Amino acid sequence: MPWTGPPRSGVLGAPPVLVLLGLLAAATAVLELTRSPLAPALVPACLALGSGAAAVVAQRGASRLPARSARPWRALAVALGLLAVGQVLATVRAGADLEFGGAEDVPMLLAVPVAVLAALRLLPPRSRRWPGSRTVLDGLIATLAVAVLGHVLLAALLTGVDGAADGLIAVGYPVVGAVLVGVGLVTVTGVRGARRGAAVGLLVASVAMAVVAIGGALGRTLGSTAATVVTEQAWLAMLAAIVLAVRADPGEPTTPELDRPIVPLRGLVLASGIASSVLLLLLAGVLAGRGIDPVEAGGGAALVALTSVRTVLWAGDGYRLTRRLLRTEGHFRALVHSGDAVTVVLDGTGRIGWTSGAVEAQLGWSDGDLAGRSLVALLHADDRPLLATVAQAVRNGATVGVLPATVRLGTRAGAWGEVELSGAARTALPGADGGEGLILHLRDVTDRRSSQRELERMAYTDFLTGLPNRARLTAALGEVSAGTGPGCLLLIDLDGFKAVNDVAGHDAGDRLLCEVAETLRAAAREGDVVARLGGDEFAVLVRAGRDEATVLAERLVVLLDREHRPPAPDGSGPGGLALPVSGSVGVAEVRVGGDPAEALRRADLALRTAKAAGKKCVRTTGEALDRVVDRRARLARDLPDAIADGALSVVLQPVVGVEEGRVLGLEALVRWRHRELGDVPPEEFVGVAEDEGLIVPLERWVLGAATAALAPLLAQGHDLKLGVNVSVRHLQAGCLAADVERALAASGVPASRLMLEITESVLVDAEDRVERELAALREAGCVISIDDFGKGHSTLARLSRLPVDVLKMDRDFVAHIEDDPRTAAVVASVVELGRTLGMDVVAEGVETPGQLAALRRLGCRFLQGYLLGRPMPVADLAAVLAEPVAVALDGTRTLSHV
């Protein structure tokens, strides 16, 4: 980033000094023209004052710049100081004979090399950029031209002057002026773009100094008042130019972005102009009869030679530049034509001026057809405003979010093609009028967009029925909930579909689903969304209120209540088999601003209510169902915080050994007292945890809390095992073994004291990964138990293979063991099965003395239930464990009053 000092107005004293120089110019002119006797003393004093003020401005300007950028102005301040000293000496020597000069000339002559050094220091560092040979040649031409011009002027005007003064004036002063002008020209040509204004000021000052040198010589030698006035005015003009140069200098740029390239053409034009003017002057003198002395002839010849050399160099540069431009243009054209995009240049009126690339293949037009056409006229009427939007975004320099964009472009064949505007930029138009155009990069995306739409259709469409799928329905629910109109969701589940699949086969089931899809599509209104969610579950999103949606739902129930006749095996027509099929419908309102997933949950709850009510009916979410859904959503939202903040608690229920006559184990049960809802039943929030993916962190917390509660009991000498319920999903997650190991390590409980109770579904759905996890837990020393055995569909073959140690009978068997002989027979079979497989059998739900007696007769050794002990806090366990269990086994009272 370039140096940024104070603004230019911050160069202290610059405007006042310019005013002062103007006043001094007027004062010196009046003194000289009126031939005032005070002129010899006051004029040098005025020039000394102006030079000193300019020196102060240069020094202050240098103080606001970095060290490298300040060097030219510090040197120039020294040069101006020397000029001021010279004028002060001239003031002191006022009235002396100045024909041959005096002490005042010494500091003024010393100021010349210092000024040259200042100008050269304005050039960039040599390591980064230095004037080339062409720039130096331009300066040399200008120097020689000014020298010849000075000699011509002085030789013509000082013909009668003899002696040393003649040589000094005729040669020395023109050389000084020429050197200053040449150095100024080199500086203007070689300086960076950012500092070129300051360099131009120094060039003007150099020209003025040349005028001072020549005019001063003429005025001093010939005593010409006019020459003296011109010299003094040039002196003050030189000072003013220096002040303006200091004011214009921003400092040396440090970044390439602000480092404009040097253009040698400027120096060539100036040098050639000066040289041509001098040569024409010499030619005019010859035509007028004036002779040319050897110095002028040699100088003119040298000017012609140097100018010729410079012209040859310029021609060579032009040739190389032309070749480079041709190569660059060739590379550019190859690059443009090799891409798949078409580049179009629009003029200020929006007409196509130039195109490149595969125009006909991409846009459906030839180059000639598009030339001069208005691009807007080729676009679809709905897409035309987009071009104006793109043009405005390009002008503002903010095309993000606007590009890329797709428009429809008419082709020569009359069709509409889809074209992507992938990029845009401004460009300067050629020609005298100039102006600004717009470059667009266009690409035909018709095929790609068609494929994309097909993919989107497939992503949002059920492959079997052609109806929208769950993703499309969810998107439509989001649109309704984001709008302001009413909406209702109907969930439809087929009754009897499983029988069609099982009896008639999956092909018949697929045909039935397609028939149902057509029925729903025909019954729905225009604007409703009919979708298949999967299996035999469908949905209809109705853009209407609850009453209209309920009427449609009842109509659907009537339409779906029919007999389905699968086709005959030979395909000749419907077969003789008739399978009853009907539908149940749940209806839920879609709340404005609500969550689409919540609407699905409420509709699903209403559908389950309809199925529970006997199927083939409609149920609508009302206040009661909405409260259930809202409560469930509240529990799902608060459960993670309850797990993290310790709002849960663990209670323990005793497991009694009949033969041992004591408490052998404890089952850990989790409880949740919600801060607002009160006690939440475990079956409610555990189900929420299963559905919301929170079961693993919940059971991880229970494992830690339960083992921490067991550790002090073991330390007190109690011989107990701890049962903890584990979800199959925790097993499937693959982290149960690690969680158990972490809990045991934290509490110090041996693995042999921990019994993991897994639901019976593991016998049916167990995968190899689940079996490996159970084997790893068993190998680590944990006891594996099957909970609620007999409630599901057990697979005895898999039971024999799994590492299971304990079977816990479902409480429904125990509940009817007294009055149902078949149930008693099943219980006896389970007890015998456990004995045969080497597994302990625990009977859950023992609540009456009769159940206890029956289980003891059947030989069940381990019992658990309210009759023997209710779930209790850890603090109440000490008293229960100390109490004999004989009274409980006799059925006279329980172990706990909790």
Side-chain angles (χ1 to χ4, degrees):
M1 183 175 181
W3 176 87
T4 53
R8 292 179 182 178
S9 59
V11 180
L12 300 178
V17 169
L18 291 175
V19 174
L20 173 63
L21 294 177
L23 295 175
L24 293 177
T28 54
V30 170
L31 289 173
E32 292 291 355
L33 293 176
T34 58
R35 298 182 181 276
S36 171
L38 300 176
L42 292 181
V43 170
C46 290
L47 298 181
L49 178 60
S51 301
V56 172
V57 170
Q59 182 59 37
R60 289 183 175 178
S63 65
R64 71 183 177 90
L65 296 173
R68 175 66 182 80
S69 300
R71 292 175 184 175
W73 309 119
R74 290 198 180 96
L76 200 59
V78 173
L80 292 173
L82 291 173
L83 293 179
V85 171
Q87 293 299 334
V88 169
L89 294 177
T91 303
V92 173
R93 297 186 63 221
D97 183 9
L98 302 178
E99 182 178 354
F100 296 101
E104 67 277 4
D105 289 329
V106 175
M108 286 191 281
L109 290 175
L110 291 176
V112 173
V114 178
V116 171
L117 177 63
L120 293 178
R121 283 195 165 187
L122 196 64
L123 294 171
R126 181 183 297 272
S127 60
R128 298 174 59 183
R129 180 180 296 154
W130 194 253
S133 59
R134 288 151 181 77
T135 302
V136 174
L137 186 58
D138 291 336
L140 183 59
I141 292 173
T143 300
L144 183 59
V146 173
V148 172
L149 177 62
H151 183 272
V152 170
L153 293 177
L154 294 179
L157 297 175
L158 302 178
T159 306
V161 178
D162 299 323
D166 185 9
L168 176 63
I169 294 173
V171 179
Y173 282 95
V175 170
V176 171
V179 170
L180 290 174
V181 172
V183 171
L185 182 61
V186 170
T187 303
V188 169
T189 305
V191 81
R192 298 179 188 275
R195 307 186 80 182
R196 189 157 288 138
V200 170
L202 288 184
L203 176 60
V204 173
S206 299
V207 173
M209 195 65 182
V211 173
V212 169
I214 297 175
L218 292 175
R220 178 178 297 183
T221 306
L222 300 180
S224 169
T225 302
T228 302
V229 172
V230 170
T231 301
E232 294 164 355
Q233 298 302 308
W235 183 290
L236 294 171
M238 172 197 66
L239 299 178
I242 291 174
V243 170
L244 292 176
V246 175
R247 182 182 173 87
D249 186 18
E252 185 74 23
T254 58
T255 55
E257 289 77 13
L258 299 178
D259 186 8
R260 298 180 182 177
I262 296 174
V263 182
L265 179 61
R266 185 179 291 105
L268 172 66
V269 172
L270 292 175
S272 300
I274 297 174
S276 300
S277 300
V278 171
L279 291 174
L280 288 175
L281 179 63
L282 292 176
L283 179 60
V286 171
L287 294 177
R290 176 184 177 278
I292 300 179
D293 61 24
V295 174
E296 296 172 357
L303 281 177
V304 172
L306 292 176
T307 305
S308 300
V309 172
R310 185 65 179 91
T311 303
V312 171
L313 292 176
W314 175 251
D317 292 342
Y319 175 72
R320 284 190 295 273
L321 180 61
T322 302
R323 291 190 60 186
R324 185 180 302 173
L325 288 176
L326 290 175
R327 284 197 303 270
T328 303
E329 182 183 8
H331 295 161
F332 172 74
R333 287 186 178 275
L335 179 64
V336 170
H337 286 283
S338 65
D340 60 346
V342 173
T343 302
V344 175
V345 179
L346 305 180
D347 61 16
T349 63
R351 297 188 176 276
I352 300 173
W354 184 81
T355 57
S356 72
V359 179
E360 190 159 4
Q362 293 284 328
L363 305 183
W365 297 87
S366 66
D367 292 349
D369 292 335
L370 290 178
R373 280 181 176 267
S374 172
L375 181 61
V376 173
L378 298 177
L379 298 181
H380 192 279
D382 296 339
D383 298 334
R384 291 173 183 174
L386 179 62
L387 191 60
T389 303
V390 171
Q392 183 62 42
V394 171
R395 283 193 292 270
N396 296 337
T399 58
V400 177
V402 178
L403 295 177
T406 303
V407 295
R408 286 161 289 181
L409 180 77
T411 64
R412 184 170 48 191
W416 290 105
E418 295 187 78
V419 177
E420 181 184 74
L421 277 69
S422 58
R426 291 186 295 177
T427 181
L429 297 176
D433 296 337
E436 191 175 79
L438 184 65
I439 298 177
L440 297 176
H441 300 288
L442 309 178
R443 181 185 292 107
D444 179 35
V445 293
T446 304
D447 293 340
R448 190 183 76 187
R449 293 279 293 178
S450 177
S451 300
Q452 183 178 350
R453 283 192 291 270
E454 179 62 19
L455 290 174
E456 290 177 355
R457 187 194 68 78
M458 293 173 62
Y460 286 102
T461 304
D462 176 59
F463 74 95
L464 177 63
T465 62
L467 294 176
N469 59 11
R470 182 182 293 271
R472 178 66 186 90
L473 177 68
T474 303
L477 281 171
E479 294 171 3
V480 173
S481 61
T484 57
C488 285
L489 177 64
L490 280 60
L491 283 188
I492 304 106
D493 187 79
L494 298 183
D495 305 321
F497 175 74
K498 187 175 186 303
V500 174
N501 260 346
D502 293 343
V503 175
H506 289 283
D507 289 341
D510 291 345
R511 281 190 289 272
L512 173 59
L513 293 176
C514 293
E515 292 174 9
V516 171
E518 289 299 324
T519 300
L520 297 178
R521 188 184 287 115
R525 307 171 310 170
E526 185 178 358
D528 295 344
V529 178
V530 181
R532 181 189 175 209
L533 303 185
D536 60 342
E537 192 173 18
F538 294 83
V540 180
L541 178 59
V542 182
R543 300 180 186 272
R546 178 181 294 185
D547 294 340
E548 294 183 48
T550 304
V551 171
L552 175 60
E554 292 172 347
R555 184 180 172 212
L556 292 179
V557 169
V558 173
L559 292 174
L560 295 176
D561 185 15
R562 59 186 177 180
E563 287 186 346
H564 178 68
R565 293 183 177 272
D570 58 3
S572 59
L577 181 64
L579 299 173
V581 177
S582 61
S584 301
V585 183
V587 182
E589 284 188 288
V590 181
R591 297 170 180 172
V592 175
D595 183 6
E598 179 192 354
L600 275 169
R601 284 194 295 268
R602 289 188 289 111
D604 183 65
L605 184 60
L607 175 60
R608 280 186 279 166
T609 305
K611 302 281 279 187
K615 304 179 181 180
K616 201 166 57 177
C617 62
V618 176
R619 289 294 181 268
T620 304
T621 55
E623 184 176 351
L625 284 177
D626 288 345
R627 280 200 303 269
V628 172
V629 174
D630 292 341
R631 176 183 173 89
R632 184 179 179 84
R634 175 73 178 277
L635 294 177
R637 186 175 64 251
D638 294 345
L639 183 55
D641 292 337
I643 297 173
D645 299 339
L648 305 176
S649 61
V650 168
V651 294
L652 301 172
Q653 185 176 20
V655 178
V656 175
V658 175
E659 294 181 1
E660 291 81 359
R662 63 182 180 86
V663 176
L664 298 178
L666 302 168
E667 181 179 3
L669 303 171
V670 62
R671 297 291 184 262
W672 181 14
R673 174 163 290 181
H674 195 280
R675 59 181 178 274
E676 295 178 9
L677 303 179
D679 290 330
V680 182
E683 58 271 13
E684 183 178 10
F685 71 81
V686 171
V688 170
E690 290 270 7
D691 294 341
E692 299 296 329
L694 298 172
I695 192 64
V696 172
L698 173 62
E699 292 184 350
R700 186 177 292 146
W701 181 90
V702 172
L703 282 169
T707 53
L710 178 65
L713 297 176
L714 296 178
Q716 295 169 11
H718 296 290
D719 183 13
L720 298 171
K721 291 189 185 301
L722 174 68
V724 177
N725 292 287
V726 176
S727 169
V728 175
R729 294 189 181 181
H730 201 165
L731 267 171
Q732 293 170 338
C735 60
L736 177 59
D739 293 339
V740 167
E741 181 181 1
R742 188 181 303 111
L744 294 176
S747 62
V749 173
S752 60
R753 298 290 183 173
L754 179 62
M755 181 169 65
L756 301 174
E757 300 183 9
I758 303 167
T759 58
E760 189 183 8
S761 60
V762 74
L763 300 178
V764 179
D765 301 328
E767 304 171 352
D768 292 341
R769 182 177 57 183
V770 172
E771 292 187 16
R772 288 195 299 270
E773 190 86 355
L774 288 175
L777 290 167
R778 174 74 176 281
E779 186 177 353
C782 295
V783 179
I784 307 299
S785 170
I786 298 297
D787 197 16
D788 298 331
F789 184 78
K791 184 176 182 180
H793 303 281
S794 301
T795 302
L796 298 182
R798 186 174 291 273
L799 177 62
S800 64
R801 296 203 317 266
L802 290 176
V804 175
D805 302 291
V806 178
L807 298 178
K808 297 189 73 171
M809 274 190 299
D810 184 68
R811 63 182 61 248
D812 289 342
F813 292 127
V814 177
H816 303 288
I817 195 172
E818 297 179 80
D819 52 16
D820 187 355
R822 293 188 176 186
T823 300
V826 171
V827 172
S829 300
V830 173
V831 172
E832 182 61 27
L833 175 65
R835 184 180 299 110
T836 303
L837 295 178
M839 301 176 186
D840 293 332
V841 177
V842 179
E844 294 184 289
V846 181
E847 298 179 354
T848 66
Q851 295 170 352
L852 174 61
L855 289 169
R856 296 186 70 172
R857 286 195 305 271
L858 295 174
C860 186
R861 293 180 52 201
F862 305 102
L863 307 176
Q864 179 181 354
Y866 282 5
L867 180 66
L868 303 171
R870 292 176 176 270
M872 64 192 72
V874 178
D876 298 337
L877 274 174
V880 172
L881 295 176
E883 182 180 358
V885 299
V887 292
L889 293 175
D890 291 340
T892 56
R893 70 183 170 86
T894 63
L895 291 175
S896 174
H897 61 279
V898 179

